[in-house]
């Protein structure tokens, strides 16, 4: 009786499908020119394959029906024909060329990362995305926002799943419509892949390397995607949501972000002087723990050993509180434990450490305050600096003094000859620039552009000096050299770059020029 | 053996009742007989097929509906990883080596494989490799959970501690494959019957010959890359770690330089099997024998210069993407030639549709569908959309399951009478075929749509829009899995009895193996036959 009920239940659940959203059967056309080109290419390939299939399978079924022994078919005895072989080698080649041409054109377009309006660095980590806007000084993490009880159904529970189940995040990436947005994609740990089907953008996030991709969306809206490269346990739980807004809305959003950042900084400062009650710490700690820690260490604190150790009864959670704080703040190298210093506020870290030290029978009774966290990790804004910090500061002072003495005072008024500048510039270039831009100025495009014949090295001098002094806003790989090189060295290297290889501009840049330019 | 005139070329030895077989377990442990070793390979691969299939059943049960009902995400990753490794290295590859052992000596008129002791050794290390791999499920670390492609650094710095056992198991599998391949090459080069020139060899022999070369070329690369993985994980090297000057993408280049020829290692022998069966049941010679040989060789050559099409999204330069796209598209040409030749072989034949032929025809059609999706995947811009989605899962299951696996079934039905001396139960065979055909398409065809709609592969849970299709896919999966028990029943029934098979039970069959009695005597061709 019971078994029969189960059978009906199964059958019912198979047939009752209309409750769930309908799935598109074909590739999305998307909302960018590139995604539409890709869709067209997909349809072209699909139709060609279908046509070939109809012919080949048609011929096979024809012989299966008419050339069968039961119908009295006698076998013919032909078994080779060079003409036919040549024919069915040549025709596919022609068809392939017909597909390769549009594919090549689309690909060249996709790989053109030049002239972007907005640049965003995307960093994958287990299992969340971090977005950093280069032009606006905005950065934040984006984490799955589907509640755990919706997907953790192992005990037979099943909370109703929301409309965007597993495809929703706390803070989506926001980009403006009709602007070329360039993504610089990298990773903090394993390889992830950032994918939005509607943009036809999928690019691996490789730890230690930066990949480029771009998009230009022509319709505002919310677009969803997922991590597309197996990245460990919660690979299926790190979605991507992009909120494309009109230019005005985007500007408004940027403004809001700046205000919120200011408020958060203020709150952070206040939290240092505040003493929060144990109950409040535990409540905040529990919610923070569930959002950030429970995926690995489990809601019950038992972890998934050996990769994700238990916290319940662990030496870290019961031992020295400073070690505990430091592990949460800085992470643990060589393991999956990432540093949360950038992701959580001091108050949240204090709360989560308190929670871990008092939940699941870890009854240490410790109540950790934001100020404790700050002092344990050596925060600079702490009201009382620790001994260690004082020592560090003292050492830094001494080093600075010594450096000043060793480094000869720079004479900014001195005028150098072209030969002097070129000789010095070549040395500076070899030590500070050639690793990326290469000794021959050819660079390693696209991340490290060529200088030989480049727009910067042959164009406006002020722009050139500015890039060397302050780095590039668009390309994070181009660092600011103002703190590494003296003004004389910068003058020399800029002169060198403008006159070496085929860049015979004849420009002479003196230290005073650099001084004047960097004063602006 | 009294009336079998076809067998008379070795009957003058007279004494072939005395096979010098040991008895009991020792016969199997110490055997150097190619038929015994072939049988052991085939049984081993079938057992591995059932184990790998059982893992797939758990995967499909978890994916039956949205939410995590049965397994934890980390265990899910272990399931997909070990499923892939077992099916590739434990089911498909040893099955083909089993065919090679059984059939190659009989097809070229040789008494045995050239290196019989090596043959014994290459089989008997395999069970240990898989005992280690499967045993890791029961260790504290758990089984490998980084995908069968084991990309660094997920398999190094961030591994769950199973890396060492995984590497050891892969090393043993690799050694076994290399030894098996050397044996095949040496046998084919040195032991062909007088008069059998290379261009007179059956196409089956040709495909195994080329496959063996591919194995010798790429298995050492696999050994190299897993060793680098091992030292990165445990001995502080940084081959794949940017912090120490390495590059995680380097891992993928080395892996796929092995991995792409590997996929042809799993399909070329299948071409050989169906190229034997289709002419037999069309009662017509294989169309374009020499073009088939050249096409197989071209595919083997091209397999070495297309590896990076697995890596279009890793951030390759435009030039690299174009190069690998063009080379990959080029593979469609020799593959197309093969399909056209099979079509022409059937054309104006006199066809019958016994189970081996049914599986072979299904192979040609469904493998071609896998070829079509392969061609679509070759187009780099579209690959950005398909890559790492269920579209890819559909693609490689069409070429591996309805491709390689179906050819293995076809070959097994075709030669079972020769192996056992009995005809298999044709009705049950056909039931097995139709159940497999319908369920396998229910299992894998909807995956194309799931992929196009945006479902990534290797996820234990999915968005609600994918729910309906996953349900049907899971039902197809369970049905396909159960259907394989029919095959087991057919084989056991056939071994235990049934209608006596004649030396050549198939009217249109050609080849030396049909000139010896059924079941094939323990020793065949102790005096080589003469080929004109």
């Amino acid at each position: 009786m019971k078994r029969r009920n189960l059978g009906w239940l199964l059958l019912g659940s198979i047939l009752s499908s209309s409750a769930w959203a309908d799935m598109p059967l074909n590739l999305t056309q998307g909302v960018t020119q590139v995604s539409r080109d890709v869709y067209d290419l997909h349809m072209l390939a699909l139709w060609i394959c279908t046509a070939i299939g109809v012919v080949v399978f048609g011929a096979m079924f024809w012989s299966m029906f008419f050339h069968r022994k039961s119908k009295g078919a006698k076998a013919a005895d032909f078994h080779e024909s060079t003409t036919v072989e040549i024919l069915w080698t040549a025709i596919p080649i022609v068809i392939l060329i017909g597909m390769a041409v549009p594919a090549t054109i689309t690909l060249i377009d996709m790989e053109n990362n030049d002239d972007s309006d907005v640049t965003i660095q995307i960093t994958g980590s287990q299992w969340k995305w971090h977005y950093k806007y280069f032009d606006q000084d905005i950065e934040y993490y984006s984490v799955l926002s589907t509640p755990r009880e919706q997907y953790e159904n192992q005990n037979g529970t099943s909370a109703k799943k929301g409309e965007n189940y597993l495809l929703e995040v706390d803070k989506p990436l926001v980009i403006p419509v009709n602007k070329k947005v360039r993504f610089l994609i990298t990773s903090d740990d394993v390889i992830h892949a950032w994918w939005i089907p509607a943009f036809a953008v999928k690019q691996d996030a490789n730890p230690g390397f930066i990949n480029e991709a771009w998009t230009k969306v022509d319709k505002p809206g919310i677009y969803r995607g997922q991590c597309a490269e197996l990245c460990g346990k919660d690979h299926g739980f790190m979605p991507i949501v992009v909120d494309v807004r009109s230019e005005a809305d985007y500007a408004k959003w940027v403004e809001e972000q700046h205000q919120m950042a200011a408020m958060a900084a203020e709150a952070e400062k206040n939290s240092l002087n505040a003493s929060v009650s144990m109950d409040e710490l535990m409540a905040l700690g529990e919610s923070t723990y569930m959002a950030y820690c429970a995926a690995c260490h489990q809601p019950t604190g038992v972890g998934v050993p050996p990769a994700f150790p238990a916290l319940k009864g662990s030496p870290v959670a019961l031992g020295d509180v400073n070690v505990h704080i430091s592990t949460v703040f800085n992470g643990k190298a060589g393991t999956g434990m990432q540093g949360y210093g950038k992701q959580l506020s001091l108050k949240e870290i204090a709360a989560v450490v308190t929670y871990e030290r008092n939940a699941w029978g870890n009854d240490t009774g410790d109540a950790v305050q934001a100020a404790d966290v700050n002092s344990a990790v050596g925060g600079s804004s702490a009201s009382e600096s620790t001994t260690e910090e004082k020592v560090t500061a003292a050492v830094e002072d001494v080093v600075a003094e010594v450096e000043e003495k060793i480094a000869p005072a720079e004479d900014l008024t001195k005028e150098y000859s072209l030969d002097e500048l070129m000789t010095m510039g070549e040395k500076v270039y070899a030590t500070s620039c050639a690793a990326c831009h290469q000794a021959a100025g050819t660079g390693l495009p696209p991340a490290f552009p060529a200088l030989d014949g480049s727009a910067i090295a042959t164009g406006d001098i002020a722009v050139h000096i500015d890039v060397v002094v302050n780095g590039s806003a668009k390309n994070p790989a181009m660092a600011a050299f103002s703190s590494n090189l003296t003004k004389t060295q910068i003058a020399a290297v800029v002169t060198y770059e403008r006159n070496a290889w085929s860049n015979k501009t004849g420009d002479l840049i003196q230290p005073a020029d650099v001084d004047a330019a960097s004063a602006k | 053996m009294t009336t079998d005139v076809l067998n008379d070329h070795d009957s003058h030895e007279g004494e072939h009742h005395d096979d010098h077989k040991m008895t009991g377990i020792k016969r199997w442990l110490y055997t150097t007989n190619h038929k015994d070793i072939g049988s052991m390979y085939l049984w081993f691969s079938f057992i591995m097929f059932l184990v790998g299939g059982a893992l797939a059943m758990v995967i499909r049960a978890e994916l039956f509906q949205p939410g995590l009902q049965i397994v934890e995400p980390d265990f899910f990753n272990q399931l997909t990883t070990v499923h892939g490794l077992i099916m590739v290295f434990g089911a498909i590859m040893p099955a083909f080596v089993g065919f090679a052992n059984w059939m190659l000596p009989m097809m070229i008129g040789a008494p045995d494989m050239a290196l019989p002791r090596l043959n014994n050794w290459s089989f008997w290390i395999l069970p240990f490799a898989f005992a280690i791999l499967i045993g890791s499920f029961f260790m504290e670390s758990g089984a490998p959970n980084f995908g069968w492609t084991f990309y660094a650094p997920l398999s190094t710095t961030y591994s769950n501690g199973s890396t060492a056992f995984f590497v050891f198991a892969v090393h043993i599998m690799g050694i076994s494959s290399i030894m098996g391949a050397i044996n095949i090459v040496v046998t084919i080069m040195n032991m062909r019957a007088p008069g059998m020139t290379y261009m007179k060899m059956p196409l089956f022999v040709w495909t195994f010959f080329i496959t063996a070369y591919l194995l010798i070329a790429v298995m050492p690369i696999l050994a190299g890359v897993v060793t680098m993985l091992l030292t990165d994980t445990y001995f502080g090297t940084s081959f794949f770690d940017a912090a120490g000057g390495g590059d995680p993408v380097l891992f993928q280049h080395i892996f796929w330089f092995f991995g792409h020829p590997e996929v042809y290692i799993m399909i070329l022998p299948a071409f050989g099997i169906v190229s034997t069966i289709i002419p037999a049941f069309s009662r017509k010679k294989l169309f374009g024998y020499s073009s088939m040989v050249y096409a197989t060789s071209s595919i083997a050559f091209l397999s070495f210069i297309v590896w990076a099409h697995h890596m279009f999204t890793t951030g390759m330069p435009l030039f690299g993407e174009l190069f690998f796209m063009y080379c990959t598209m080029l593979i469609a040409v020799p593959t197309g030639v093969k399909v056209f030749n099979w079509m022409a072989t059937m054309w104006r034949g006199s066809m019958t549709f016994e189970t081996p032929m049914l599986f072979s025809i299904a192979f040609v059609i469904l493998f071609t569908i896998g070829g079509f999706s392969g061609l679509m995947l070759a187009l780099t811009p579209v690959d950005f959309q398909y890559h790492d989605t269920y579209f890819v899962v559909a693609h490689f299951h069409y070429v591996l399951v309805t491709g390689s696996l179906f050819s293995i079934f076809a070959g097994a039905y075709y030669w079972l009478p020769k192996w056992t001396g009995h005809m298999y139960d044709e009705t049950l065979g056909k039931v097995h075929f139709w159940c497999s055909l319908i369920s396998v398409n229910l299992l894998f065809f909807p995956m194309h749509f799931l992929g196009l709609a945006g479902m990534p592969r290797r996820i234990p849970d999915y968005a609600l829009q994918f729910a309906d299709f996953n349900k049907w896919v899971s039902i197809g999966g369970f049905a396909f899995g159960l259907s394989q028990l029919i095959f087991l029943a057919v084989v056991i029934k056939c071994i235990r009895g049934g209608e006596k098979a004649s030396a050549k039970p198939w009217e249109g069959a050609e080849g030396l193996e049909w000139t010896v009695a059924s079941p094939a005597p323990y020793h065949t061709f102790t005096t080589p036959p003469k080929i004109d």
Side-chain angles (χ1 to χ4, degrees):
Chain A
M1 192 64 194
K2 206 173 175 194
R3 183 174 294 172
R4 186 183 296 169
N5 281 341
L6 200 72
W8 280 117
L9 206 71
L10 200 68
L11 193 70
S13 81
I14 290 163
L15 298 175
S16 75
S17 50
S18 49
W20 286 334
D22 284 329
M23 187 182 90
L25 290 179
N26 202 352
L27 194 65
T28 175
Q29 298 205 30
V31 286
T32 66
Q33 189 51 47
V34 164
S35 70
R36 282 185 292 269
D37 291 344
V38 164
Y39 173 82
D40 291 343
L41 203 54
H42 158 76
M43 290 313 288
L44 174 74
L46 187 62
W47 283 119
I48 288 176
C49 289
T50 311
I52 299 173
V54 167
V55 173
V56 174
F57 301 154
M60 285 175 61
F61 279 108
W62 180 276
S63 25
M64 278 187 256
F65 283 114
F66 296 105
H67 307 153
R68 55 167 68 204
K69 198 183 176 197
S70 56
K71 291 200 171 164
K74 290 265 180 300
D77 69 346
F78 63 86
H79 59 84
E80 59 190 345
S81 159
T82 313
T83 327
V84 170
E85 299 286 355
I86 290 174
L87 216 61
W88 63 40
T89 307
I91 295 174
I93 291 179
V94 174
I95 296 175
L96 289 176
I97 292 172
M99 288 158 88
V101 170
T104 306
I105 294 169
T106 308
L107 189 60
I108 290 173
D109 188 28
M110 289 174 102
E111 293 292 330
N112 175 10
N113 294 297
D114 297 343
D115 305 322
S116 59
D117 304 304
V118 180
T119 300
I120 298 167
Q121 180 179 319
I122 300 175
T123 310
S125 63
Q126 287 181 329
W127 292 279
K128 51 179 89 77
W129 295 99
H130 179 256
Y131 301 114
K132 180 176 177 184
Y133 293 67
F134 276 120
D135 316 309
Q136 264 97 18
D137 194 25
I138 296 171
E139 57 178 307
Y140 55 88
Y141 280 88
S142 176
V143 189
L144 174 75
S145 63
T146 304
R148 299 180 73 83
E149 56 269 22
Q150 282 190 21
Y151 56 87
E152 292 199 326
N153 308 140
Q154 284 97 336
N155 301 325
T157 57
S158 65
K160 188 166 163 23
K161 300 185 192 334
E163 188 195 346
N164 294 311
Y165 176 68
L166 297 188
L167 293 178
E168 52 202 345
V169 297
D170 57 349
K171 284 190 81 176
L173 175 68
V174 179
I175 60 171
V177 77
N178 290 326
K179 292 272 183 196
K180 185 163 182 175
V181 181
R182 185 169 71 139
F183 304 117
L184 299 171
I185 303 171
T186 184
S187 166
D188 274 344
D189 38 47
V190 300
I191 299 173
H192 305 268
W194 196 85
W195 178 35
I196 292 285
F199 303 168
V201 170
K202 185 184 285 151
Q203 198 61 248
D204 285 3
N206 297 325
F209 294 84
I210 295 174
N211 273 335
E212 286 185 288
W214 66 273
T215 193
K216 192 172 177 181
V217 185
D218 45 35
K219 211 174 126 216
I222 307 275
Y223 303 101
R224 296 170 199 278
Q226 283 180 270
C227 176
E229 182 65 60
L230 178 64
C231 56
K233 191 169 79 64
D234 282 352
H235 164 54
F237 303 89
M238 54 181 294
I240 299 151
V241 180
V242 181
D243 182 352
V244 181
R245 300 192 181 184
S246 71
E247 235 178 296
D249 287 351
Y250 174 72
K252 217 167 93 190
W253 176 83
V254 168
E255 193 44 43
E256 279 169 21
Q257 296 306 304
H258 286 147
Q259 283 172 7
M260 276 164 62
M263 278 156 65
E266 186 68 19
E268 190 85 339
K269 225 164 128 194
N270 291 341
S271 72
L272 289 179
N273 302 321
S275 178
V276 184
S277 78
M278 186 71 173
D279 286 348
E280 208 183 318
L281 280 172
M282 285 299 278
L284 176 63
E286 183 168 7
S287 62
T288 312
Y289 181 86
M290 292 305 163
Y292 289 86
C293 318
C296 297
H297 294 293
Q298 302 298 300
T300 50
V302 293
V304 188
F308 309 118
L311 297 180
K312 185 179 175 182
S314 89
V316 172
L318 298 177
D320 182 1
V321 69
N322 285 336
V323 173
H324 190 172
I325 293 171
S326 153
T327 307
V328 175
F329 194 89
N330 299 315
K332 199 166 171 204
T335 71
M337 179 65 196
Q338 39 184 274
Y340 287 86
K342 267 199 321 181
Q343 308 179 39
L344 300 174
S345 68
L346 294 175
K347 189 175 166 188
E348 284 169 321
I349 291 180
V352 88
V353 171
T354 306
Y355 179 74
E356 288 172 0
R357 299 181 80 79
N358 292 287
W360 331 292
N362 287 357
D363 299 319
T364 59
D366 297 340
V368 181
Q369 300 292 346
D372 301 330
V373 176
N374 196 41
S375 62
V377 297
S380 53
S381 60
S383 41
E384 285 175 58
S385 48
T386 62
T387 351
E388 197 184 333
E389 270 177 304
K390 282 177 188 154
V391 173
T392 316
V395 170
E396 274 169 5
D397 285 345
V398 174
V399 170
E401 258 174 57
V402 172
E403 269 179 357
E404 247 171 59
K405 278 181 200 154
I406 293 170
E410 222 180 332
D411 181 5
L412 295 176
T413 53
K414 189 166 174 198
E415 297 266 332
Y416 293 90
S417 73
L418 180 62
D419 279 351
E420 283 173 316
L421 285 170
M422 286 297 280
T423 318
M424 200 191 324
E426 187 170 1
K427 270 191 209 146
V428 175
Y429 184 85
T431 51
S432 299
C433 318
C436 298
H437 293 294
Q438 303 298 301
T442 51
L444 292 169
F448 308 122
L451 297 180
D452 189 9
S454 88
I456 287 177
T458 56
D460 185 1
I461 296 175
V463 173
H464 191 170
I465 296 176
D466 178 60
V467 170
V468 178
V469 170
N470 298 319
S472 163
K474 301 229 161 135
N475 188 343
M478 179 64 198
F481 282 90
S482 52
S483 54
N484 304 12
L485 300 177
T486 65
K487 295 194 166 101
T488 314
Q489 284 173 319
I490 291 176
V493 83
V494 172
T495 309
Y496 177 75
E497 288 172 0
R498 301 183 76 79
N499 292 285
W501 321 301
S502 63
N503 297 353
K504 310 276 182 229
T505 58
D507 297 336
L508 224 72
I509 291 92
Q510 299 296 348
D513 301 333
V514 177
D515 191 41
S518 49
K520 275 194 280 187
Chain B
M1 312 273 156
T2 48
T3 56
D4 199 343
V5 283
L6 285 162
N7 201 29
D8 64 356
H9 45 253
D10 55 344
S11 66
H12 66 270
E13 295 202 349
E15 304 287 342
H16 50 102
H17 293 289
D18 179 15
D19 292 329
H20 305 289
K21 268 190 276 202
M22 294 201 192
T23 49
I25 187 75
K26 278 188 179 172
R27 167 183 171 186
W28 301 105
L29 279 177
Y30 298 154
T31 185
T32 54
N33 180 287
H34 73 102
K35 299 184 181 79
D36 282 351
I37 295 172
S39 300
M40 289 196 294
Y41 263 114
L42 289 168
W43 274 112
F44 177 76
S45 64
F46 189 71
I47 293 165
M48 283 300 118
F49 172 63
L50 293 183
V51 174
L55 300 179
M57 296 298 102
V58 183
I59 293 172
R60 284 319 319 175
E62 176 55 61
L63 292 173
F64 186 75
Q65 54 174 307
L68 297 167
Q69 287 82 22
I70 302 170
V71 297
E72 295 292 332
D74 185 61
F75 187 67
F76 183 89
N77 290 342
Q78 297 178 24
L79 291 172
T80 53
T81 304
V82 180
H83 164 74
L85 289 168
I86 285 185
M87 289 308 199
V88 168
F89 294 103
I92 302 292
M93 289 171 71
F96 283 135
V97 184
F99 276 100
N101 263 293
W102 251 106
M103 303 319 300
L104 284 181
M106 287 209 280
M107 284 184 166
I108 62 172
D112 203 312
M113 296 296 278
L115 309 163
R117 282 181 198 280
L118 191 78
N119 206 8
N120 171 294
W121 181 232
S122 69
F123 172 76
W124 273 113
I125 59 176
L126 264 192
F128 295 93
F130 285 91
I132 293 170
L133 181 65
I134 297 168
S136 60
F137 268 118
F138 306 101
M139 297 177 194
E140 197 200 340
S141 62
N145 61 355
F146 27 70
W148 85 275
T149 52
F150 53 101
Y151 279 10
L154 188 59
S155 56
T156 55
T157 319
Y158 296 88
S159 104
N160 57 359
S162 59
T163 304
F165 288 111
F166 161 78
V167 170
F168 190 36
V170 168
H171 268 310
I172 301 174
M173 296 170 203
I175 292 168
S176 163
S177 288
I178 292 170
M179 292 196 296
I182 289 174
N183 211 348
I184 289 170
V185 168
V186 175
T187 306
I188 294 173
M189 290 182 83
N190 295 304
M191 298 183 69
R192 278 167 292 131
M196 183 179 277
T197 58
Y198 280 108
M199 289 310 276
K200 277 187 186 165
M201 294 193 310
L203 198 75
F204 179 96
V205 180
W206 259 112
T207 55
F208 276 82
F209 190 45
I210 293 169
T211 305
Y213 270 110
L214 286 183
L215 276 167
I216 295 171
V218 302
M219 289 317 270
I221 296 168
L222 176 66
V225 77
V226 294
T227 307
M228 290 158 92
L229 200 74
L230 187 79
T231 60
D232 259 20
T233 314
Y234 300 104
F235 302 105
T237 56
S238 303
F239 293 111
F240 310 128
D241 180 0
D247 183 348
V249 177
L250 172 68
F251 170 86
Q252 297 175 36
H253 280 292
I254 307 176
F255 175 80
W256 285 113
F257 193 82
F258 147 79
H260 202 78
E262 167 70 17
V263 307
Y264 291 101
I265 285 166
M266 292 189 284
I267 201 65
L268 294 185
F271 292 166
I273 292 172
V274 298
S275 298
T276 311
I277 295 173
I278 290 182
F281 295 95
S282 302
R283 291 165 184 77
K284 191 160 154 276
K285 273 180 82 171
L286 179 67
F287 188 87
Y289 167 84
S290 45
S291 77
M292 286 296 233
V293 173
Y294 301 138
T296 312
S297 316
S298 320
I299 293 173
F301 168 73
L302 286 172
S303 76
F304 285 103
I305 53 168
V306 297
W307 78 90
H309 68 214
H310 297 270
M311 305 165 51
F312 283 143
T313 64
T314 55
M316 254 192 286
L318 176 65
F319 174 80
E321 290 174 331
L322 289 174
F323 174 82
F324 287 108
M325 172 170 77
Y326 298 149
C327 289
T328 307
M329 293 175 80
L330 215 50
I331 288 189
V333 176
T335 315
V337 167
K338 288 191 153 292
V339 174
F340 298 139
N341 280 332
W342 291 321
M343 178 186 82
T345 306
M346 286 190 245
W347 188 256
R348 294 187 51 208
S350 169
M351 285 201 272
T352 51
F353 301 93
E354 289 84 350
T355 312
M357 183 62 162
L358 290 175
F359 271 109
S360 297
I361 293 173
F363 167 92
V364 175
I365 293 175
L366 298 176
F367 169 77
T368 304
I369 290 177
F372 286 149
S373 53
L375 180 59
M376 294 168 79
L377 282 159
L379 302 169
T380 316
V382 210
D383 180 76
F384 285 120
Q385 291 285 47
Y386 304 147
H387 180 77
D388 265 327
T389 67
Y390 263 76
F391 191 81
V392 177
V393 180
H395 161 71
F396 68 72
H397 281 99
Y398 261 86
V399 290
L400 278 178
V401 177
T402 59
S404 308
L405 181 65
F406 270 32
S407 82
I408 289 167
F409 286 141
Y413 282 108
Y414 183 62
W415 283 299
L416 260 179
K418 181 57 62 189
W419 297 338
T420 64
H422 304 121
M423 296 308 285
Y424 61 88
D425 185 327
E426 187 65 51
T427 316
L428 262 188
K430 286 201 166 116
V431 170
H432 172 224
F433 169 75
W434 287 108
C435 287
S436 297
L437 182 76
I438 294 166
S439 58
V440 87
N441 283 292
L442 180 60
L443 167 57
F444 295 125
F445 204 78
M447 287 186 183
H448 290 112
F449 299 113
L450 282 171
L452 292 178
M455 178 167 163
R457 61 191 284 206
R458 295 169 162 167
I459 55 173
D461 194 6
Y462 46 80
L464 298 183
Q465 54 170 334
F466 306 127
D468 294 351
F469 273 70
N470 270 295
K471 203 183 306 181
W472 288 109
V473 166
S474 287
I475 292 167
F478 302 140
F480 183 71
L482 289 176
S483 304
Q484 305 324 310
L485 300 178
I486 306 174
F487 178 68
L488 181 63
V490 174
V491 173
I492 290 173
K493 200 171 162 206
C494 183
I495 291 171
R496 296 175 67 169
E499 188 195 330
K500 279 270 167 226
S502 65
K504 192 177 117 165
W506 310 119
E507 185 191 350
E510 279 191 42
L512 289 175
E513 74 267 35
W514 306 110
T515 64
V516 301
S518 297
Y522 200 58
H523 298 292
T524 39
F525 296 121
T526 40
T527 310
K530 184 95 182 80
I531 317 289
D532 349 286

